[in-house]
Amino acid sequence: MSSPSKSGRPRDADRDRALLVATQDLLAEVGYDRLSIDAVAARCGAGKTTVYRRWAGKPELVADAVALLHEIAVAPDTGDLRTDLVLMAKAWHDPDSRRDAVVGGLLTAMVHDGGLRDAVNQAISVPHKEVFATVVARAVERGEVPGDRDFELIGTAFPALTFHRLSVMAEPIDLAFIERVVDGVVVPALISGGSSPAGGAMSR
Amino acid sequence: MSSPSKSGRPRDADRDRALLVATQDLLAEVGYDRLSIDAVAARCGAGKTTVYRRWAGKPELVADAVALLHEIAVAPDTGDLRTDLVLMAKAWHDPDSRRDAVVGGLLTAMVHDGGLRDAVNQAISVPHKEVFATVVARAVERGEVPGDRDFELIGTAFPALTFHRLSVMAEPIDLAFIERVVDGVVVPALISGGSSPAGGAMSR
């Protein structure tokens, strides 16, 4: 997510974090389109050059700010598919209305802004896909899940259903909802779903 | 969707339709936030009072314009669950990039605008839920599907996965994708999924 500065000086981790939190606040307050790098810097008593020293632009800053809200834990490994899936989903979406507000201010802009979409997908979707792929690969090894399911599609079911619930239905994500998705959709699709059109390859 | 004018005169169906098509065009071009009723009227050589005679405001006009893009067919009834689901999904999402552009310009605003969200849900989500409920109720009657599945959640899987694909992944909806969703997620969830937390009541 972050990397040492090019100059080799010790990176000011506290200031970077303050800038990312200010970015989160502004996303929740005004949304992506109206967020300015000037405003982010001003909230931290910094100049915009401080921001540009660390981030190439608004999409990259915002992607890091959003990634900071999503704890990308290592893949859970309890030996039970359902438990791993619930733990994974809880790590992505513990009840946190501030996070929902930040992400809500962002989803909107992703439709029209390919650069932002790529940056957010790189920060969130790719790590999530890798955790899901790891959890499922272990279940395949244990014989819990057939190896030819449409893993790529099923891996998007949880993000898609939470995204839809937040934006279209404007309802929050809680543990009860997570368990409904795991038990009602993800596990049955993994266990009883049709084969992948790609023959079960776990494409990433 | 539309109703006779209050005055009892024959409604100018052609003009109404032209106004709705102009609204679709503007949604695709500038998105919801920057769409103005003046601009819609101007495209049809009409005054804004003409628009306000038919629609209470922008959310209602836009909801009707979007509903016109979604053919709300009667529920298919072929006697086979999978075939009915594919036909239903095809009726909602036949390949039409213009429709995707219109809906893409709208999704963004729904997060922040409760009035628009309610209007769009009333125009699209409610009729879709009813068609899904009808198709599934027949499959339950035929014994293809157990009666206690989480139908409410499963009914959102297709809209959620298409919405996610359009906005987050920026990829189109085609027949191959529809079949992946039906075979990989919806049918397995209906046949093998867990029970509904509400005990299987088909809530709407």
Side-chain angles (χ1 to χ4, degrees):
Chain A
M1 194 168 68
S2 43
S3 54
S5 77
K6 290 171 202 151
S7 69
R9 285 175 303 160
R11 187 168 61 71
D12 186 342
D14 288 345
R15 178 149 70 186
D16 283 359
R17 196 181 169 85
L19 288 165
L20 293 174
V21 170
T23 304
Q24 293 169 358
D25 289 340
L26 281 162
L27 279 173
E29 289 166 28
V30 304
Y32 181 80
D33 287 339
R34 289 191 286 149
L35 179 142
S36 77
I37 290 196
D38 275 331
V40 169
R43 287 222 174 173
C44 301
K48 68 195 283 187
T49 52
T50 307
V51 177
Y52 280 113
R53 221 173 288 139
R54 278 280 295 130
W55 290 278
K58 191 162 112 172
E60 293 78 10
L61 171 67
V62 165
D64 270 7
V66 172
L68 193 64
L69 287 172
H70 288 253
E71 312 235 342
I72 307 297
V74 291
D77 190 10
T78 64
D80 176 70
L81 173 65
R82 186 212 182 249
T83 309
D84 283 354
L85 290 171
V86 170
L87 287 173
M88 183 190 81
K90 278 171 69 180
W92 295 350
H93 272 283
D94 62 278
D96 177 345
S97 60
R98 181 167 182 276
R99 178 156 73 191
D100 292 350
V102 173
V103 176
L106 188 68
L107 295 177
T108 65
M110 288 173 63
V111 177
H112 293 296
D113 186 331
L116 174 68
R117 186 168 55 238
D118 291 345
V120 171
N121 281 336
Q122 200 59 37
I124 300 177
S125 307
V126 170
H128 282 191
K129 276 169 87 169
E130 287 173 3
V131 170
F132 180 80
T134 303
V135 164
V136 166
R138 289 186 186 130
V140 171
E141 276 166 35
R142 289 192 304 266
E144 273 190 272
V145 169
D148 65 349
R149 293 294 174 259
D150 191 348
F151 297 118
E152 191 178 1
L153 177 70
I154 300 168
T156 65
F158 183 78
L161 284 161
T162 54
F163 182 101
H164 182 265
R165 185 171 172 90
L166 289 172
S167 55
V168 176
M169 303 172 69
E171 289 175 22
I173 308 301
D174 55 18
L175 178 59
F177 180 74
I178 286 172
E179 291 185 330
R180 284 175 69 190
V181 173
V182 169
D183 294 329
V185 172
V186 179
V187 168
L190 285 172
I191 292 184
S192 315
S195 304
S196 158
M202 180 90 72
S203 51
R204 290 192 186 175
Chain B
M1 196 168 69
S2 43
S3 53
S5 76
K6 289 171 201 151
S7 69
R9 286 175 303 158
R11 186 169 59 73
D12 185 343
D14 288 344
R15 178 148 73 184
D16 283 359
R17 195 180 170 87
L19 288 165
L20 293 174
V21 170
T23 304
Q24 294 169 357
D25 289 339
L26 281 162
L27 280 173
E29 289 165 29
V30 304
Y32 180 80
D33 288 339
R34 290 191 285 150
L35 179 143
S36 77
I37 289 194
D38 275 330
V40 169
R43 288 221 173 173
C44 300
K48 67 195 286 187
T49 50
T50 307
V51 178
Y52 281 113
R53 219 174 289 140
R54 279 279 295 130
W55 291 279
K58 191 162 112 172
E60 293 77 11
L61 171 67
V62 165
D64 270 6
V66 172
L68 193 63
L69 288 171
H70 289 254
E71 310 235 342
I72 307 297
V74 292
D77 190 11
T78 64
D80 175 70
L81 172 64
R82 186 211 181 251
T83 309
D84 283 354
L85 291 171
V86 170
L87 288 174
M88 181 190 82
K90 278 171 69 179
W92 295 350
H93 272 283
D94 62 278
D96 177 344
S97 61
R98 182 168 183 275
R99 177 157 73 191
D100 292 351
V102 173
V103 176
L106 188 68
L107 296 177
T108 67
M110 288 174 62
V111 177
H112 292 296
D113 186 330
L116 174 67
R117 186 167 56 239
D118 291 345
V120 171
N121 281 336
Q122 200 60 36
I124 301 177
S125 307
V126 170
H128 282 190
K129 277 168 86 168
E130 286 173 4
V131 171
F132 180 80
T134 302
V135 164
V136 167
R138 289 186 185 130
V140 171
E141 275 165 36
R142 290 191 303 267
E144 274 190 271
V145 169
D148 65 349
R149 293 292 174 261
D150 192 346
F151 297 117
E152 192 178 1
L153 177 69
I154 300 167
T156 65
F158 183 77
L161 284 160
T162 53
F163 183 101
H164 182 265
R165 186 171 172 89
L166 289 172
S167 54
V168 176
M169 303 173 69
E171 289 174 21
I173 308 300
D174 55 18
L175 178 59
F177 180 75
I178 287 172
E179 291 185 329
R180 284 175 69 190
V181 172
V182 169
D183 294 329
V185 172
V186 179
V187 168
L190 285 172
I191 292 184
S192 315
S195 305
S196 158
M202 181 87 73
S203 49
R204 295 197 182 169

